[in-house]
Amino acid sequence: TPLQTFNEEVVFRGLLLTALFRLRWSQSALVLGPAVLFCALHWVFYRYNFEPENRGDLAWPALLTLFCFGVAANGLFLKTRSIALPWALHCGWNLNRFRLYDPRNPAHEMTEFATFNLLEGALPIVVLSAVLALVVCAWAFRAESAQRF
């Protein structure tokens, strides 16, 4: 999962956010736009996965959590100008989720997309991700510390 999350962070935060910043997108657009794309691409990946056993629909609470996670990761990147904190957050999040799903254990019945619905779709996690997004954005965009690239 560290390599997979690193790849996502390079694409979403390192390349996409940097490009959008250089196009002079507003702070709110920089935080929200890529978060919507992050959420949508996870939905598309699992809805149309090449492996039938990994195909399925992500429930709206899981999608809301993905969106809030994207907002938090975008805020961290914009504040620190580095993918290190978003990557650490992403790795930790996925390692926690993959405790529910062990792809090396063929006897395990839970599909990967089902772990999204089970963990990310749980109300406490939806609330936690929303609070995380709000706290990160409040920290990242305080008037006295807001920085531009």
Side-chain angles (χ1 to χ4, degrees), residues 86-109:
W87 183 30
L89 177 65
H90 204 157
C91 281
W93 193 281
N94 279 11
L95 287 171
N96 185 51
R97 185 167 54 80
F98 286 131
R99 288 184 315 121
L100 299 173
Y101 170 70
D102 184 358
R104 297 164 296 172
N105 181 358
H108 202 288
E109 296 295 322

Side-chain angles (χ1 to χ4, degrees), residues 74-136:
N74 293 343
L76 287 171
F77 176 78
L78 291 170
K79 175 68 175 179
T80 64
R81 300 178 187 158
S82 167
I83 65 167
L85 281 180
W87 183 30
L89 177 65
H90 204 157
C91 281
W93 193 281
N94 279 11
L95 287 171
N96 185 51
R97 185 167 54 80
F98 286 131
R99 288 184 315 121
L100 299 173
Y101 170 70
D102 184 358
R104 297 164 296 172
N105 181 358
H108 202 288
E109 296 295 322
M110 185 175 287
T111 60
E112 187 178 334
F113 86 89
T115 66
F116 273 100
N117 289 332
L118 180 66
L119 182 63
E120 278 87 346
L123 182 60
I125 301 301
V126 173
V127 171
L128 176 67
S129 67
V131 169
L132 175 67
L134 290 171
V135 168
V136 166

Side-chain angles (χ1 to χ4, degrees), residues 10-64:
V10 166
V11 169
F12 280 97
R13 267 46 89 179
L15 298 176
L16 179 61
L17 268 177
T18 300
L20 296 177
F21 180 85
R22 290 187 177 151
L23 291 173
R24 301 199 177 272
W25 280 33
S26 69
Q27 271 188 338
S28 57
L30 285 170
V31 170
L32 299 176
V36 168
L37 184 61
F38 182 77
C39 174
L41 287 177
H42 276 80
W43 179 83
V44 167
F45 176 78
Y46 288 106
R47 181 73 173 103
Y48 301 104
N49 198 298
F50 291 114
E51 299 175 5
E53 65 274 8
N54 277 332
R55 248 182 245 149
D57 285 322
L58 297 180
W60 72 265
L63 293 171
L64 181 58

